[in-house]
Amino acid sequence: MPGVNKRVLVLHYHEIWLKGGNKNFFLSRLIAAVKRTLEDLPNQRVEHVADRLLVAVPEEALLPLMIERLQKVFGVTYIGIAWEVFGGMPEMVDCACRMLDPMKPRSFRVRAKIADPVLGLRTMGLERELGCEILTFLRSKNADVQVRLKDPEVTCWVEAIPGKILVYAERVPAAGGLPAATGGRLVMLLSGGFDSGVAAYKMMRRSAHLTFAHFYGGASVSRGSSKPVAERIVRTLTPYQFTSRLYLISFDSVQRQIVGGARESLRVLLYRRMMARISREICRPERALGLVTGDSVSQVASQTLHNLAAVDRGLDLPIYRPLAGDDKEEILRLARRIGTYEISCEPFEDCCPRFMPRSPAIFSNPDELDEAEKGLDIEGLVTLGLEGAQVMDFKYELGQVAVREGLPHRFEKLLDHRKSLRPATPNPPAPVVNP
Ligand code: ATP
Ligand code: MG
């Protein structure tokens, strides 16, 4: 391909531009993320020149894999698949013509970004001169080719930066957002469904580093446990943030106490409140600043504005609901793009529909839920949930996700502390129902 030029990927970022005094912090994290995502590939070199990153491509065959990986790096807005041209205008013309020739465009334009004056030309002059040469070349093959400044079939981009001229005709969108894990931690309530994986992605894209909490019930004859589904979703999401922790919490015994001790129509809301309370405790050892859920307003009965407000009462930490205003169609589109859709299509036993009320409350309020919880030993149930937790650590390195199991030290300390608070004579347990 184009002469003796060198293959290079041009990574553009956008929002980091707005980051005044913190720009260097975000940039260094972006560069580290780009290096880490390519660390197992040979001769990877990343340069920061004139507000873009240049990634050398050691072999043409690696190009698709490199692009696929870099598209997952938060902070990168788009990737130009470029050639670095050595020489002047004739070499630029040669490179651009060889690149556009196989694309057989009926219309094209040249767009230049000049951060360093080259060949004494300004933007317009370079676009015009290179455009004329390309037009002459393409018309020698097809007399109908036109220059079209608006909506052409192909754009030939030229970026002139100190010491380098980059030319490309293909650029692909990347993930956008802000560099991963630069904004602090949150605990994500992850079900096996479509919504929570997408909500996680949206918050990771806004720089939150997520720890996941999944609540599971027993598997049934026809459907397996939701645990492996949650694990696969975390495995799929980990390359975006490099490390993830997943708390797997058995919810069966907690649910049975709620079923035995509280009004039927409020059950799902009480399950949700309980999940949020247990997750809030997980925030402590994780030093997390809030919770995230995949709720979408009015999608189901538990997500009416009344019920969401009732569930949140008394939680005293922020609950982020990044899908609050999204339609299911939009959510599913994103689930397909990030790779969680197929995983959530698997049949699994979700814990919430178990012991489902025949007629769930639609307009509950916090007082009603507080009243319904009066017969329950709330703190005892939180401890019960935490005690049964299993913890998995996921790490993305050398292009693979590795998993390790074991309770983190800070979580063990939390458990010891909660056990020491247990009353000497526990409250009488609520009657347990075996539906
Ligand atoms: P979908 O609606 O596509 O089945 P979902 O993840 O939104 O998936 P919902 O039943 O709508 O599931 O639950 C709303 C939110 O409550 C979830 O997005 C999630 O944040 C939380 N949630 C529900 N079930 C669980 C669970 N078993 N473990 C952890 N969080 C859960
Ligand atoms: Mg949902």
Coordinates of all heavy atoms in Angstrom, one line a residue, residues 30 33-34 37 65-76 79 173-176 178-180 201 204-205 235-242 337-339 396:
L30 N -5.5 8.3 30.0 CA -5.9 7.8 28.7 C -4.8 7.1 28.0 O -5.0 6.0 27.5 CB -6.3 9.0 27.8 CG -6.8 8.7 26.4 CD1 -8.1 7.9 26.4 CD2 -7.0 9.9 25.5
A33 N -4.4 3.7 29.5 CA -5.4 2.8 29.1 C -5.1 2.3 27.7 O -5.3 1.1 27.4 CB -6.8 3.5 29.1
V34 N -4.7 3.1 26.8 CA -4.4 2.7 25.4 C -3.2 1.7 25.5 O -3.3 0.6 24.8 CB -4.0 3.9 24.6 CG1 -3.4 3.5 23.2 CG2 -5.2 4.8 24.3
T37 N -4.4 -1.7 26.9 CA -5.3 -2.5 26.1 C -4.5 -3.2 24.9 O -5.0 -4.2 24.4 CB -6.4 -1.6 25.6 OG1 -7.6 -2.3 25.5 CG2 -6.2 -0.9 24.2
L65 N -7.7 -6.2 15.0 CA -7.7 -6.5 16.5 C -7.4 -5.2 17.3 O -8.0 -4.9 18.3 CB -6.6 -7.6 16.8 CG -6.5 -7.9 18.3 CD1 -7.7 -8.6 18.8 CD2 -5.3 -8.8 18.5
M66 N -6.4 -4.4 16.8 CA -6.0 -3.2 17.4 C -7.2 -2.2 17.5 O -7.5 -1.6 18.5 CB -4.8 -2.5 16.8 CG -3.5 -3.3 17.0 SD -2.2 -2.5 16.1 CE -1.8 -1.1 17.1
I67 N -7.9 -2.1 16.3 CA -9.1 -1.2 16.3 C -10.2 -1.7 17.2 O -10.7 -0.9 18.0 CB -9.6 -1.1 14.8 CG1 -8.5 -0.4 14.0 CG2 -10.9 -0.3 14.7 CD1 -8.8 -0.5 12.5
E68 N -10.4 -3.0 17.2 CA -11.5 -3.5 18.1 C -11.2 -3.2 19.5 O -12.0 -2.8 20.3 CB -11.6 -5.0 17.9 CG -12.7 -5.7 18.6 CD -12.6 -7.2 18.7 OE1 -12.1 -7.8 17.7 OE2 -12.8 -7.7 19.8
R69 N -9.9 -3.4 19.9 CA -9.5 -3.1 21.3 C -9.6 -1.6 21.6 O -10.1 -1.2 22.7 CB -8.1 -3.6 21.6 CG -7.9 -5.1 21.4 CD -7.5 -5.7 22.7 NE -7.1 -7.1 22.5 CZ -5.9 -7.5 22.7 NH1 -4.9 -6.7 23.1 NH2 -5.6 -8.8 22.6
L70 N -9.1 -0.8 20.7 CA -9.1 0.7 21.0 C -10.4 1.3 21.0 O -10.7 2.3 21.6 CB -8.2 1.4 19.9 CG -6.7 1.0 20.1 CD1 -5.9 1.5 18.9 CD2 -6.1 1.6 21.4
Q71 N -11.4 0.6 20.3 CA -12.8 1.2 20.3 C -13.4 1.0 21.7 O -14.4 1.6 22.0 CB -13.6 0.4 19.3 CG -13.4 1.0 17.9 CD -14.3 0.3 16.8 OE1 -14.3 -0.9 16.7 NE2 -15.1 1.1 16.1
K72 N -12.8 0.2 22.6 CA -13.3 0.1 23.9 C -12.6 1.0 24.9 O -13.0 1.0 26.1 CB -13.1 -1.4 24.4 CG -13.9 -2.4 23.7 CD -13.8 -3.7 24.3 CE -14.8 -4.7 23.6 NZ -14.6 -6.1 23.9
V73 N -11.7 1.8 24.5 CA -11.0 2.7 25.4 C -11.8 4.0 25.6 O -11.9 4.8 24.7 CB -9.6 3.0 24.9 CG1 -8.9 4.0 25.8 CG2 -8.7 1.7 24.8
F74 N -12.3 4.1 26.8 CA -13.1 5.3 27.1 C -12.2 6.6 27.0 O -11.1 6.5 27.5 CB -13.8 5.3 28.4 CG -14.9 4.3 28.5 CD1 -14.9 3.3 29.6 CD2 -15.9 4.3 27.6 CE1 -15.9 2.4 29.6 CE2 -16.9 3.4 27.7 CZ -17.0 2.4 28.7
G75 N -12.7 7.6 26.4 CA -11.9 8.8 26.2 C -11.6 9.0 24.8 O -11.4 10.2 24.3
V76 N -11.4 7.9 24.0 CA -11.1 8.1 22.6 C -12.4 8.3 21.8 O -13.4 7.5 22.0 CB -10.4 6.8 22.0 CG1 -10.2 6.9 20.5 CG2 -9.2 6.5 22.8
I79 N -11.1 7.1 15.7 CA -9.8 6.5 15.3 C -9.6 6.7 13.8 O -10.4 6.2 13.0 CB -9.7 5.0 15.6 CG1 -9.9 4.8 17.1 CG2 -8.3 4.5 15.2 CD1 -10.2 3.4 17.5
P173 N -15.8 5.3 14.7 CA -16.1 5.9 16.0 C -15.6 5.0 17.1 O -15.4 3.8 17.0 CB -17.6 5.9 16.0 CG -18.0 4.9 15.0 CD -16.9 4.8 14.0
A174 N -15.2 5.6 18.2 CA -14.8 4.9 19.4 C -15.8 5.2 20.5 O -16.8 5.8 20.3 CB -13.4 5.2 19.8
A175 N -15.4 4.8 21.8 CA -16.4 4.8 22.9 C -16.7 6.1 23.4 O -17.8 6.3 24.0 CB -15.9 3.9 24.0
G176 N -15.8 7.1 23.2 CA -16.1 8.4 23.8 C -16.1 8.4 25.3 O -15.5 7.5 25.9
L178 N -15.1 9.5 29.2 CA -13.8 9.9 29.9 C -13.0 8.7 30.3 O -13.6 7.6 30.4 CB -14.2 10.7 31.2 CG -14.8 12.1 30.9 CD1 -15.5 12.6 32.2 CD2 -13.6 13.0 30.5
P179 N -11.7 8.8 30.4 CA -10.8 7.7 30.7 C -11.4 6.9 31.9 O -11.9 7.4 32.9 CB -9.5 8.3 31.0 CG -9.5 9.6 30.3 CD -10.9 10.1 30.3
A180 N -11.2 5.5 31.7 CA -11.8 4.6 32.7 C -11.3 4.8 34.1 O -10.1 5.1 34.3 CB -11.5 3.2 32.3
Y201 N -22.4 0.1 31.7 CA -21.5 0.6 30.6 C -21.6 2.2 30.6 O -20.6 2.9 30.5 CB -22.0 0.1 29.3 CG -21.3 0.7 28.1 CD1 -20.1 0.2 27.7 CD2 -21.9 1.7 27.4 CE1 -19.4 0.7 26.6 CE2 -21.2 2.3 26.3 CZ -20.0 1.8 25.9 OH -19.4 2.4 24.9
M204 N -19.6 3.6 33.5 CA -18.2 3.4 33.3 C -17.6 4.4 32.3 O -16.5 4.9 32.5 CB -17.9 2.0 32.8 CG -18.1 0.9 33.8 SD -17.5 -0.7 33.3 CE -18.3 -1.0 31.8
R205 N -18.5 4.7 31.3 CA -18.1 5.6 30.3 C -18.0 7.0 30.9 O -17.2 7.9 30.3 CB -19.2 5.6 29.2 CG -18.9 6.3 28.0 CD -20.0 6.0 26.9 NE -19.8 6.8 25.7 CZ -20.4 7.9 25.4 NH1 -21.2 8.4 26.3 NH2 -20.1 8.5 24.3
R235 N -17.5 -10.3 33.2 CA -16.3 -10.6 32.3 C -16.3 -9.8 31.0 O -15.2 -9.3 30.6 CB -16.4 -12.1 32.0 CG -15.2 -12.7 31.4 CD -15.4 -14.2 31.1 NE -15.1 -15.0 32.3 CZ -13.8 -15.4 32.5 NH1 -12.8 -15.0 31.7 NH2 -13.5 -16.1 33.5
T236 N -17.5 -9.6 30.4 CA -17.6 -8.8 29.2 C -17.3 -7.3 29.4 O -16.8 -6.7 28.6 CB -19.0 -9.0 28.6 OG1 -19.2 -10.4 28.4 CG2 -19.2 -8.3 27.3
L237 N -17.7 -6.8 30.6 CA -17.6 -5.4 30.8 C -16.2 -5.0 31.4 O -15.8 -3.9 31.3 CB -18.6 -4.9 31.9 CG -20.1 -5.0 31.4 CD1 -21.0 -4.6 32.5 CD2 -20.3 -4.0 30.2
T238 N -15.4 -6.0 31.9 CA -14.2 -5.7 32.5 C -13.1 -5.1 31.6 O -12.4 -4.1 32.0 CB -13.6 -7.0 33.2 OG1 -14.5 -7.4 34.2 CG2 -12.2 -6.7 33.8
P239 N -13.0 -5.5 30.3 CA -12.0 -4.8 29.5 C -12.2 -3.3 29.4 O -11.3 -2.5 29.1 CB -12.2 -5.4 28.1 CG -12.7 -6.8 28.4 CD -13.6 -6.6 29.6
Y240 N -13.4 -2.8 29.7 CA -13.7 -1.3 29.6 C -13.1 -0.6 30.8 O -12.7 0.5 30.7 CB -15.2 -1.0 29.6 CG -15.8 -1.5 28.3 CD1 -16.6 -2.7 28.2 CD2 -15.8 -0.7 27.1 CE1 -17.2 -3.0 27.1 CE2 -16.4 -1.1 26.0 CZ -17.1 -2.3 26.0 OH -17.8 -2.6 24.8
Q241 N -13.0 -1.3 32.0 CA -12.5 -0.6 33.2 C -11.3 -1.4 33.8 O -10.8 -1.0 34.8 CB -13.6 -0.4 34.2 CG -14.3 -1.7 34.7 CD -15.2 -1.4 35.9 OE1 -15.4 -0.2 36.3 NE2 -15.7 -2.4 36.5
F242 N -10.8 -2.4 33.1 CA -9.6 -3.2 33.5 C -9.7 -4.1 34.7 O -9.2 -5.2 34.7 CB -8.4 -2.2 33.6 CG -8.1 -1.5 32.3 CD1 -8.4 -0.2 32.1 CD2 -7.6 -2.2 31.2 CE1 -8.2 0.5 30.9 CE2 -7.4 -1.6 30.0 CZ -7.7 -0.2 29.8
R337 N -24.4 -3.7 21.1 CA -23.1 -3.1 20.8 C -22.0 -3.5 21.8 O -20.8 -3.7 21.4 CB -23.2 -1.6 20.7 CG -22.5 -1.0 19.5 CD -22.7 0.5 19.4 NE -22.0 1.2 20.4 CZ -22.3 2.4 20.8 NH1 -23.3 3.0 20.3 NH2 -21.6 3.0 21.7
I338 N -22.3 -3.5 23.1 CA -21.3 -3.7 24.1 C -21.1 -5.2 24.3 O -20.2 -5.6 25.1 CB -21.6 -3.0 25.4 CG1 -22.9 -3.5 26.0 CG2 -21.6 -1.5 25.1 CD1 -23.1 -2.8 27.4
G339 N -21.9 -6.1 23.8 CA -21.7 -7.5 23.9 C -22.4 -8.2 25.0 O -22.1 -9.4 25.3
Y396 N -8.3 -7.5 33.6 CA -8.0 -7.6 32.2 C -6.5 -7.3 32.0 O -6.1 -6.2 32.2 CB -8.9 -6.6 31.5 CG -8.7 -6.6 30.0 CD1 -8.9 -7.7 29.2 CD2 -8.3 -5.4 29.3 CE1 -8.8 -7.7 27.8 CE2 -8.1 -5.4 27.9 CZ -8.4 -6.5 27.2 OH -8.2 -6.5 25.8

